[in-house]
Amino acid sequence: MATATAPAPARRRRSANAARSARKIGLGLLGILGMLATWQLIPTLGIVSPQYLPYATDTLANLFGEMRDLEFWRNVGRTLSLWGTGLAIATVAAIVLGTLVGLSRFLRKATHTTVEFLRPIPSVALIPVAILIFGLQPQAGLVIIVYATFWQVFVQVLYGVADIDTVARDTARSYGLSKVSQFRSLIFPTSLPYLMTGLRLGAAVALILTITAELVIGIPGIGSQITNALTVGDWLTVYTYVLVAGLLGLIVNLVFRFIERHALSWHQSVRGEEVL
């Protein structure tokens, strides 16, 4: 009897999870439709002139037209390439430094003031310095992307490594575990949830700063297309590429949430979400 009825709770859980997923997707689509409807109504009702806020239908039609142009995909690729490079550099540097500082009480205290001084500095304030050093080149944008993204990941890794339970650390030492074994069995699992949060936040920040750099510095990509369209008063193209930037942000967030949920499927935070 037990064997025959055992799969039933599992089926119910799968059914409940599927229903929750469908509900989330449905609510998300409803929100998008509501936003598009509101956008369409604003110029229709004359709240804002269609000259400065094109209809949502016109913007979407223009977007589909742009998507048939190879240059559109080149610009998307340039933006994603710069974003990915900056995110990768910042992540590697943040993981290495965050782990080293987090494992040492002395280093945490010695660097606390410096970190709290540097972290709040707006990355856009570094644009003149970056231009002065690298000129109007992608490297200038890379500086501000790496700077902003680094702190998002570094702080999370620092807190994650420092959050290791003292009893667990002492137990690992008493059993004579090597440094590598301690890192694999204790440090990494403890800090991984913090790291995934930092990566998700850092990915969003990196995309924002990538488009900002393209807007201000003139680096080829989505941001520069917005600037070019704005210069000639082509508002329809401006809103089209703003919409593209928003879609990229949504995709990046969904991808990193997917990675986070699968990387932390064993963690109580994710398991708790599935139970609720």
Side-chain angles (χ1 to χ4, degrees), residues 83-106:
W83 165 78
T85 303
L87 178 61
I89 294 173
T91 299
V92 171
I95 290 175
V96 173
L97 294 177
T99 302
L100 292 175
V101 174
L103 288 174
S104 171
R105 184 187 298 272
F106 170 77

Side-chain angles (χ1 to χ4, degrees), residues 148-189:
T149 308
F150 171 83
W151 297 113
Q152 299 293 326
V153 183
F154 174 81
V155 171
Q156 291 293 330
V157 172
L158 181 66
Y159 288 155
V161 173
D163 193 41
I164 297 173
D165 185 69
T166 305
V167 175
R169 190 196 299 270
D170 292 340
T171 302
R173 288 173 178 170
S174 66
Y175 276 95
L177 292 181
S178 64
K179 295 291 185 182
V180 175
S181 297
Q182 289 184 40
F183 180 83
R184 184 177 62 249
S185 304
L186 181 61
I187 298 173
F188 181 72

